[in-house]
Amino acid sequence: MPESDAGRHLQNQLEILIQDFRRSTEPPMPVFVVHAQESRDDDAVAGLVRQLHAGQEAHGTRCAVTQDAYEGSTEVRRAAALVRALSDPRKWGGPKALYRRYAFPRLRLVHAIDDAVAALGDSWPSPAPGSPEAGQDQHRRLLDELAQQRWRPKNTARWRSGLPLFDMAHILPASLVTVLAALLARSEWYVAVGAGLVFLLLLTVLNYALPGRAPIFLWLRRESRWFLTTTFLRAADQDESTEVSLLRPVRSWKAIAARAYDVAEALRAGGDFHLQLCVLALREDLRDNHRRWSWDLRGFKRPRPPMLFLPHADDRNGGIELIRAISDVRSRRSELDPLLVVAAVRAHDVPRLERSVVQTAPAPDATPPTFGVRLRTWYREWGRNLRAEQSPSRERSVLPWAMKIPLPHDQLGPLEEGRHHLRASARPTLARLVWALHSLVLVIALLSAATVMRADALHDRYCSASVLTANRDTRREQAPDGRTECIGIATDGLRFADWLPAPEPGDDVEALTADETPWTVADLEDRIARQNAKVLDGHAGTYVTVVYAGPLSADLSAGSSLVKGAEELAGVYLAQAVNNENSSVKLRVLIANGGVDLGHQEEMAEAIAAYAAHDPTVVGVVGTGRDLKSSRATTRILMEAGLPVVSGTNSATYLPREFANWFSLAATDEWQTRQLGLIAAQLRTPDRRQYALVLARDTARTDDLYTDEQARYGQAMLRRQGFTPLPQRRYTLTGGKPELRSHAQEICRGSRVPSVIYFAGRVEDIDPLMTQLGTEPGCAGRPLAILTGDDLSKADFAGGGQSVAPKVTLYHAALAELRKAAGGTAFYLDAARHLPGLRDHRLRHDSPALASGQTALAHDATRALFWAATRGDRPQSRASTWVNLRSVKIEGMATGTIDFTGAPLYGDRTGHSIVLKEVRRGTDGTSVTHELCRRTAGDTKRLTQQECRIRR
């Protein structure tokens, strides 16, 4: 701390300036030149400056103190060496200094060019004739030398704290941008991080490991921008561009190289230019280090200006020339800089500073003012005169920024006890508390935690997600077996086949593999994707999009098969391939999954509607082939989105009556049971009481509505045919298997054994039922007829997949009449040519892969929707497609003629395809199937009892 009265007053004046600086008033910072009035006090003045330095360092000010001597041939060179020493950040600030160290990139760039000039020797830029350098490009020689130095001063540390000193401000953001780009592309997080690390390593190798080249981001450095834009270096007749642009690295590099050559020539010439350029660079670096509105708000975190202390400013260290240069540069520049200089000059060197702003001491008063009052008065006078003294019309001998302060002998004595000096506020700034490293760590931790939580939430909710984004067209849902299934519409390369369960030990995979198709869902998805790519690449504006909505999940534990979805998807793909071969308007197919047995079809419909809202090429939906309690809501969602629905297999009776956008190729449940009534009438013996029973699956805890409709219409049909109905029975499922034993016992052992059972169940339940009826006393060995709906058309009786009990005759409906329609369609030739696993096969209507009719119905539904969407060989809008569907009449389809022209609005149409089949047990124990009667699609002639005669 100051030990003299003069030191105390000087310290107080410094603290006043610091307080003004803290308040953002940006006071002009003079060069305080203190000197003794008597030569005998020179050492005391020097000691006072050292005391001020120690005091400011204790207060946390960024301080630098000079040596007494520096090397150099001239005083200007020694002053330049002094400034060079100040480019070491370790020279500024002690352990109490706030915030991180200073950086001096501009000053180091000047030193790098100076070192390059020195390394080239006296032969540059005018080599002696005949020397090796005479034929070389001197411009290139300078650039090569700078490249060898990496555009850094010689003999400086290349690494600090394990990281390169330069360019990390550009390399790290570039790598971060690479990571973010990969994340936004929905890559996995480890792919994104790996891409960033590889890019970081590549840039680091290019920037540091290759010798003899300039840094790759040189033109983006802040010192390069200053180097080209400062008017101090720009010559009036210079034609080269000084533009530095991120998008023009070559042009920027040429501008930097040209400017470096001009500066090097000026440095070689000597004179005051070198010192003034170094002072200018130091000044700009300090201004940048205290820039308030920088990215790190460093100016707010450094509330005390930097101070330079020169205990001995003389010719040995160039201190006086430095004071001259600071004043000259400040007079040429219009911006204020924060540097506060305190220099001690010997009394005999004062005349070298020319005259001071304070020309004469004030006249003595009766009560002379104290030294502190005089000091403040001198500062105010200096400030008032500063503007005028910088005028070019004034004498050149004036140093307007130097404020000389003579120190009388009586002020250099010991400080009186009890006197204290001022200290500016030491309270940390708000920026220091908020925008600091600990705050950054906290924010990064919070953001990282939030990002991880969001990533987990996205991965838990959506099928395809990265750290920051997700494909919101599909969502994860829980399947009945506890696994996760992917629900929604597949976009951006998502594949539902990737979400199909793999059989595990203990799984009952019989239901999954019993009716295995020659193709897989993955095969079909890949082929549809290739078709879509061709459509988008070469037919923009001349295509329509159809969405297939079906069950593309399987529940192994419950025996639920994905065969239905695979067969329907095959029909949709076949229609796409055929249409795209033969039509100028192309068909694009998107695939939507409603889950196991369409258990999540409502969520699927919402995803389709959301996607269709921003894709006007979507003209309709094919599928939704199961009648569930959610079918109304599903159809309503699609109707509100303006999407017509063409279903191949949904036999719901109420949907065409309630929704104008519903079109189905399947005969309704009510109409089916009326046709099965033709068989029931033949099973009825007149004038004799016969009991009949409806046995249905329990749907209380399921979404199944098909079973309820079958049971209701079957009960009414049996009553109309004169049977005495027994109370309806409902069986439950346990572990995916039907509980039928107790029902069989009560049915077969009672006094009223039914002769006809209407089975309102699913195809997977027929084998357990036959097993119970074939072994239960009272039913075994007795004639028994079972009537059931179209779900049994999926059974493989001929291949041994299902069987019937002895004396039991099974009658069921099928939605697709294929045999008679086969003669008038190219469906089977097209299937052999396009479907996976069937190439070079000779296909028939009864080929195992196509016999169920699911593929044929999906194919015909897709062809009908495509016809409506491309009427007149032009893509139609969604609304036009809906209207055009009521004029669809297409012959030569797999099931016959698809005709919607006679379909009434909100009513039942006619002309459905249907087959009534009879299945008996053969003498060898196998099942024998016999077609009783049939109608192809488009044939509106009624079936008759005579036509559908059974064998008794």
Side-chain angles (χ1 to χ4, degrees), residues 512-513 515-521 524 562-564 566-567 836 849 855:
L512 183 65
T513 59
D515 296 323
E516 192 69 43
T517 56
W519 53 80
T520 65
V521 172
L524 297 173
L562 58 84
V563 171
K564 175 181 175 62
E567 290 186 342
T855 301

Side-chain angles (χ1 to χ4, degrees), residues 19 32 93 132 194 276 290 312 336 518 631 672 729 855 941 951:
Q19 188 63 37
F32 287 112
Q276 292 194 353
H290 282 267
H312 293 286
L336 294 173
S631 293
Q672 284 184 54
R729 289 184 170 274
T855 301
K941 184 180 178 182
R951 295 173 293 171

Side-chain angles (χ1 to χ4, degrees), residues 169-230:
H170 302 296
I171 292 178
L172 287 176
S175 304
L176 181 60
V177 168
T178 304
V179 172
L180 292 178
L183 292 178
L184 292 175
R186 288 198 290 274
S187 300
E188 295 292 341
W189 69 267
Y190 51 83
V191 175
V193 173
L197 291 176
V198 170
F199 194 67
L200 173 64
L201 179 62
L202 176 62
L203 291 181
T204 304
V205 169
L206 291 176
N207 200 58
Y208 302 104
L210 298 181
R213 61 175 306 281
I216 58 176
F217 289 118
L218 177 65
W219 84 96
L220 293 180
R221 290 179 178 177
R222 52 186 171 175
E223 62 268 30
S224 298
R225 293 194 297 271
W226 166 80
F227 195 51
L228 291 181
T229 56
T230 179

Side-chain angles (χ1 to χ4, degrees), residues 338-349:
L339 180 62
L340 185 58
V341 181
V342 180
V345 178
R346 291 183 173 88
H348 66 84
D349 285 331

